[in-house]
Amino acid sequence: MRKRDHVASVEVLYEQSKHKRNHRGFYQIVLKRFIDLLLCIAVLPLILLITIPIAIAIKVEDGGPVFYRSRRLGKGFKEFNMLKFRSMRVNAPDLRNDDGSTYNSQSDSRVTRVGRFIRETSLDELPQCFNVLLGHMSILGPRAGDVESKDTYEEDEKDKMLVRPGISGYTQAYYRNNLGVREKRLYDAWYAHNVSLWLDIRILFKTAATVLKRENVYTNDENAKEEKAEEKISL
């Protein structure tokens, strides 16, 4: 499906379900927060154990800081500091695509050797469990938008902010980095209105499969493949 057709289909999907308001339900407000805390506390010892070798590897490679703090937008557009393991070189320039999304390629020279591995395996996301414990995030939810994009949201896209952002979520699990900015935001807005225990269970299993297969890790590489495929079709 071509990109413009995909955007149109996501817009229809959002319009058909925006009346559901599941973000106000018992599961989202009470049960989901309880599950988030229970799971994060349970896996905390494992996360701390994994942190040690990753931290050593990051330090040995270039001596820079282990963690990267990024100012992000949470529920209700409230700002918070999101934690990740640092995967880029210190003071690496911020490169963006035409739609405002982050440039992301396997050949990106800004990414360290350790950084490439932890990105492909999603281990760089583990420190966000502390954001979950602090109430900034959920285990599953929309992507956390960067603060620089705060004024670029269209009205229908703002609905993604009705719930806490997630370490993983619908777009990360099913598409990872292979979507444009508007598509990501609309899928996230759709998720906010349709959030449920059953949907989150499906997303959780799909996340595991996507990470294990290392699918759609690099946005720009996937876009380049699609452009070449369209050129062949047009010929």
Side-chain angles (χ1 to χ4, degrees), residues 99 146 148-154 157-158 181 185:
D99 63 355
D146 54 68
E148 293 81 8
S149 67
K150 189 172 185 177
D151 297 325
T152 67
Y153 283 77
E154 297 185 30
E157 297 170 354
K158 292 179 180 179
V181 170
R185 290 176 180 176

Side-chain angles (χ1 to χ4, degrees), residues 3 10 48 68 81 99 103-104 110 123 130 142 149 159 164 167 177 179 189 201 203 218 235:
K3 187 173 181 179
V10 179
L48 294 175
Y68 168 71
N81 288 318
D99 63 355
Y103 178 84
N104 183 18
R110 300 173 302 162
L123 290 173
F130 294 103
S149 67
D159 283 359
R164 292 184 181 91
I167 298 175
N177 292 313
L179 285 178
I201 290 172
I203 292 171
Y218 300 106
L235 291 173

Side-chain angles (χ1 to χ4, degrees), residues 117-147:
F117 171 75
I118 62 176
R119 278 189 174 195
E120 291 180 355
T121 56
S122 294
L123 290 173
D124 61 326
E125 312 281 358
L126 286 181
Q128 290 167 39
C129 280
F130 294 103
N131 288 118
V132 175
L133 292 174
L134 291 170
H136 302 144
M137 298 179 68
S138 182
I139 292 175
L140 298 175
R143 287 171 176 264
D146 54 68
V147 295

Side-chain angles (χ1 to χ4, degrees), residues 41-166:
I41 292 171
V43 301
L44 194 57
L46 178 61
I47 291 173
L48 294 175
L49 188 63
I50 295 173
T51 294
I52 296 171
I54 293 177
I56 292 172
I58 291 172
K59 276 293 183 182
V60 168
E61 181 163 2
D62 65 3
V66 172
F67 297 103
Y68 168 71
R69 291 174 177 81
S70 178
R71 199 71 178 158
R72 295 299 177 103
L73 298 172
K75 182 180 178 181
F77 282 92
K78 291 182 180 179
E79 297 181 14
F80 70 97
N81 288 318
M82 188 178 76
L83 282 176
K84 298 180 77 172
F85 285 121
R86 181 175 60 86
S87 59
M88 285 192 176
R89 303 188 187 282
V90 178
N91 297 322
D94 183 13
L95 302 182
R96 299 277 172 166
N97 296 310
D98 292 339
D99 63 355
S101 61
T102 304
Y103 178 84
N104 183 18
S105 171
Q106 191 171 18
S107 59
D108 192 342
S109 60
R110 300 173 302 162
V111 181
T112 64
R113 290 192 300 273
V114 175
R116 186 163 288 108
F117 171 75
I118 62 176
R119 278 189 174 195
E120 291 180 355
T121 56
S122 294
L123 290 173
D124 61 326
E125 312 281 358
L126 286 181
Q128 290 167 39
C129 280
F130 294 103
N131 288 118
V132 175
L133 292 174
L134 291 170
H136 302 144
M137 298 179 68
S138 182
I139 292 175
L140 298 175
R143 287 171 176 264
D146 54 68
V147 295
E148 293 81 8
S149 67
K150 189 172 185 177
D151 297 325
T152 67
Y153 283 77
E154 297 185 30
E155 283 303 312
D156 51 2
E157 297 170 354
K158 292 179 180 179
D159 283 359
K160 69 172 283 185
M161 302 298 181
L162 293 170
V163 296
R164 292 184 181 91

Side-chain angles (χ1 to χ4, degrees), residues 10-11 13-23 141-143 153-164 170-172 181-195 199:
V10 179
E11 289 174 342
L13 182 69
Y14 164 78
E15 287 294 329
Q16 290 175 340
S17 61
K18 66 180 182 180
H19 64 281
K20 291 188 176 180
R21 310 290 183 184
N22 285 13
H23 62 278
R143 287 171 176 264
Y153 283 77
E154 297 185 30
E155 283 303 312
D156 51 2
E157 297 170 354
K158 292 179 180 179
D159 283 359
K160 69 172 283 185
M161 302 298 181
L162 293 170
V163 296
R164 292 184 181 91
Y170 184 84
T171 58
Q172 297 98 311
V181 170
R182 176 150 175 79
E183 293 166 287
K184 291 175 184 175
R185 290 176 180 176
L186 282 179
Y187 270 128
D188 286 339
W190 170 86
Y191 170 84
H193 288 296
N194 290 272
V195 59
L199 178 58

